[in-house]
Amino acid sequence: MGSIDTPTITENGTTQSHTAAAAADGDQKPLASSNGAPAEMTLELEATKKRRASMLPLEVGTRVMCRWRDGKYHPVKVIERRKVHYGGPNDYEYYVHYTEFNRRLDEWVKLEQLDLDSVETVVDEKVEDKVTSLKMTRHQKRKIDETHVEGHEELDAASLREHEEFTKVKNIATIELGRYEIETWYFSPFPPEYNDSLKLYFCEFCLNFMKRKEQLQRHMRKCDLKHPPGDEIYRSGTLSMFEVDGKKNKVYGQNLCYLAKLFLDHKTLYYDVDLFLFYVLCECDDRGCHMVGYFSKEKHSEESYNLACILTLPPYQRKGYGKFLIAFSYELSKKEGKVGTPERPLSDLGLLSYRGYWTRVLLDILKKHKGNISIKELSDMTAIKAEDILTTLQSLELIQYRKGQHVICADPKVLERHLKAAGRGGLEVDVSKLIWTPYKEQS
Ligand code: ACO
Ligand code: ZN
């Protein structure tokens, strides 16, 4: 299966940068070619130089081609610009969004990376803004309403735009967590006193964050946690899962949200962590239990969500932990006797992981099952919501509509082919190692 690009991770503090690797000096775009005599050529070069200089600094909203870390030029939109320290009046750096790629690859680039001959006329931001506000989903509206209920001013379309404006540029560039230095993906609304830091240092156990390494070192000498707070509800080999109640461990819950938002684009940060349980997955050794990833779950969900946000920290991604977390969320739903579904919208990586998980679980059952089976029966067996089963099987073309009903048509050879294409199964959840009772409000 192909790979979706993500920023870099470094172990033991040695920084690598894809961008630096790709941006070889000799890679500059040539000036416009000319077939004329040398004198004419000089004139033409002068004219080109002048034309380019007249465009500078580029306006926010400009569309232009930009040299990426693969050494090739890709279309970008200028999101923000800032003056280069000690530069001339037109010396700016530009924060760009590669329109073909996910927002996690947005970055600051130097002018040399931009091909000024490809500059397109500035887009009408007002028109774009209108489209953005129209595109607001019901889900987003609900979240905005919740913010209102929580006592904030109502976010109308203008405030939403202001919010988007405020979050469009990544604030924290890297974090240190345990033995990893990790490049962040998105903006996260850390308290204002952290806004001047490009790097933050996290205690890997209590998730407190600090601006300086020495502060972290001092903290580590005092911090007596060696695992997430809360109850260990699963242990199998070196893998442990902890359940953290946001109401009992408010600061931990908030720290986890700040950290997670650095890698989650579309999620609204809930300050009200009281309403959530956090399931934190750890790899344990003699130094402690090191967080690998987590998912959050509303204590009560009207929409039958069994998972709100899911994250595998970048150093641990693509090793099967994501599918483990997803499988775990469905095991909890089975214990509750409910069906569940993840909160929408799903990110690109979230959708891939869920599709992979649903496909594998459903095909495994269909392969073993003799005779007819309905979507309802599949849903009862797996705790996967019927709609998710239907869309998964439809995308695999295993559903036919006969006499007003959806019928599953599963030819063994087709199943085998789909299973092979569905990728690896992820780490197994050993249900016998799960010791858990569903959440009950304590009076
Ligand atoms: N490129 C291509 N496919 C990928 C990639 C990638 N970079 N990452 C994951 N996948 C797909 C693959 O199909 C993979 O299965 P495979 O390795 O067998 O081919 C499958 O997703 C899941 O792989 P896992 O190793 O089980 O999952 P991982 O530990 O990488 O975690 C997760 C997946 C949680 C989505 C992770 O990518 C992540 O944390 N992303 C950032 C946060 C995010 O987007 N979360 C989901 C938001 S939606 C929501 O919260 C409801
Ligand atoms: Zn700590």
Side-chain angles (χ1 to χ4, degrees):
M1 202 169 270
S3 189
I4 292 185
D5 273 295
T6 55
T8 33
I9 310 137
T10 319
E11 207 170 339
N12 303 329
T14 42
T15 314
Q16 306 162 356
S17 159
H18 285 309
T19 325
D25 271 343
D27 211 14
Q28 292 246 4
K29 270 238 141 178
L31 292 171
S33 63
S34 161
N35 299 323
E40 280 166 15
M41 206 158 97
T42 321
L43 277 177
E44 202 172 322
L45 280 176
E46 276 306 312
T48 308
K49 261 192 188 165
K50 262 199 189 140
R51 189 169 43 79
R52 288 177 182 177
S54 70
M55 291 174 191
L56 297 176
L58 294 177
E59 293 295 332
V60 168
T62 304
R63 289 175 191 269
V64 57
M65 300 297 280
C66 177
R67 195 181 57 231
W68 193 48
R69 64 196 193 194
D70 62 356
K72 298 193 180 114
Y73 281 80
H74 297 270
V76 298
K77 181 177 168 188
V78 174
I79 302 292
E80 192 52 285
R81 65 183 192 193
R82 68 180 177 204
K83 281 207 148 190
V84 177
H85 283 307
Y86 311 113
N90 281 339
D91 289 343
Y92 281 79
E93 287 176 321
Y94 297 93
Y95 193 76
V96 297
H97 168 61
Y98 295 87
T99 51
E100 296 166 342
F101 305 145
N102 185 281
R103 256 168 45 118
R104 67 181 149 266
L105 296 163
D106 292 5
E107 60 181 351
W108 287 103
V109 298
K110 301 216 172 341
L111 182 64
E112 307 86 271
Q113 282 171 260
L114 302 175
D115 172 12
L116 293 181
D117 291 332
S118 67
V119 167
E120 278 179 32
T121 30
V122 177
V123 288
D124 182 352
E125 288 295 318
K126 285 192 193 97
V127 174
E128 280 227 330
D129 283 351
K130 271 188 207 137
V131 177
T132 317
S133 57
L134 285 176
K135 270 202 247 158
M136 191 166 56
T137 62
R138 216 156 31 106
H139 171 84
Q140 282 167 312
K141 285 201 182 103
R142 184 175 63 80
K143 294 231 152 148
I144 290 164
D145 288 346
E146 279 168 9
T147 318
H148 181 50
V149 173
E150 281 162 27
H152 296 87
E153 277 173 25
E154 181 150 19
L155 272 175
D156 53 19
S159 325
L160 181 70
R161 271 202 297 280
E162 198 179 299
H163 168 79
E164 283 179 354
E165 177 70 21
F166 182 65
T167 62
K168 67 188 182 181
V169 179
K170 259 179 247 182
N171 45 344
I172 309 294
T174 48
I175 57 161
E176 203 174 290
L177 180 76
R179 57 198 180 101
Y180 294 105
E181 175 163 293
I182 309 170
E183 268 187 36
T184 65
W185 295 6
Y186 307 109
F187 173 90
S188 179
F190 284 94
E193 60 269 33
Y194 295 87
N195 278 352
D196 57 349
S197 318
L198 281 178
K199 183 169 175 183
L200 288 182
Y201 298 84
F202 278 82
C203 166
E204 62 167 329
F205 301 118
C206 69
L207 301 184
N208 278 344
F209 44 88
M210 284 139 260
K211 293 203 298 192
R212 287 184 295 112
K213 178 110 183 164
E214 308 81 70
Q215 287 175 303
L216 176 68
Q217 285 164 339
R218 224 175 307 134
H219 171 90
M220 295 314 285
R221 285 196 287 275
K222 286 186 295 184
C223 184
D224 41 16
L225 271 185
K226 284 284 171 271
H227 55 74
D231 302 324
E232 190 178 15
I233 57 167
Y234 179 92
R235 184 185 294 197
S236 175
T238 55
L239 270 193
S240 273
M241 189 72 121
F242 290 82
E243 183 187 62
V244 185
D245 184 335
K247 192 168 182 180
K248 293 184 191 156
N249 295 284
K250 242 187 163 82
V251 175
Y252 182 88
Q254 281 167 348
N255 290 347
L256 182 54
C257 288
Y258 283 129
L259 170 66
K261 179 63 194 69
L262 292 168
F263 307 99
L264 282 156
D265 192 13
H266 298 288
K267 294 293 176 179
T268 313
L269 192 79
Y270 286 100
Y271 292 96
D272 205 355
V273 292
D274 289 26
L275 307 178
F276 289 84
L277 294 164
F278 298 91
Y279 294 92
V280 186
L281 178 62
C282 296
E283 275 284 2
C284 305
D285 60 24
D286 50 1
R287 291 180 303 118
C289 296
H290 313 281
M291 178 181 162
V292 162
Y294 88 104
F295 69 88
S296 55
K297 177 179 165 103
E298 273 176 281
K299 290 174 181 172
H300 309 284
S301 168
E302 281 165 27
E303 296 96 336
S304 69
Y305 293 140
N306 63 352
L307 179 147
C309 294
I310 178 171
L311 168 74
T312 303
L313 288 166
Y316 298 97
Q317 284 177 5
R318 296 245 37 202
K319 296 181 193 324
Y321 291 113
K323 285 196 198 131
F324 177 94
L325 289 166
I326 294 172
F328 203 93
S329 71
Y330 283 107
E331 290 307 331
L332 298 188
S333 295
K334 285 182 200 167
K335 289 222 176 228
E336 291 173 320
K338 292 179 184 167
V339 295
T341 189
E343 192 182 300
R344 304 306 199 270
L346 295 176
S347 65
D348 56 346
L349 294 171
L351 184 61
L352 275 172
S353 305
Y354 266 96
R355 277 225 186 108
Y357 173 79
W358 290 329
T359 302
R360 183 158 280 282
V361 168
L362 297 173
L363 294 191
D364 274 341
I365 296 176
L366 291 179
K367 213 174 101 179
K368 288 180 202 140
H369 191 84
K370 308 257 178 299
N372 287 343
I373 190 162
S374 68
I375 290 177
K376 168 84 174 61
E377 283 168 306
L378 284 171
S379 178
D380 291 343
M381 289 163 85
T382 59
I384 301 173
K385 205 176 171 186
E387 285 90 327
D388 297 332
I389 296 182
L390 189 61
T391 49
T392 306
L393 296 180
Q394 271 170 339
S395 73
L396 297 168
E397 296 180 349
L398 295 176
I399 295 277
Q400 286 182 7
Y401 199 63
R402 288 189 202 148
K403 296 184 189 152
Q405 274 198 3
H406 288 113
V407 186
I408 303 171
C409 307
D411 174 55
K413 273 191 207 134
V414 178
L415 290 185
E416 207 48 58
R417 207 181 58 230
H418 282 316
L419 261 175
K420 276 206 183 112
R424 293 162 293 179
L427 295 170
E428 288 283 319
V429 178
D430 179 350
V431 192
S432 68
K433 307 277 168 63
L434 170 62
I435 299 164
W436 183 77
T437 48
Y439 176 80
K440 270 205 200 83
E441 201 77 61
Q442 284 158 4
S443 52

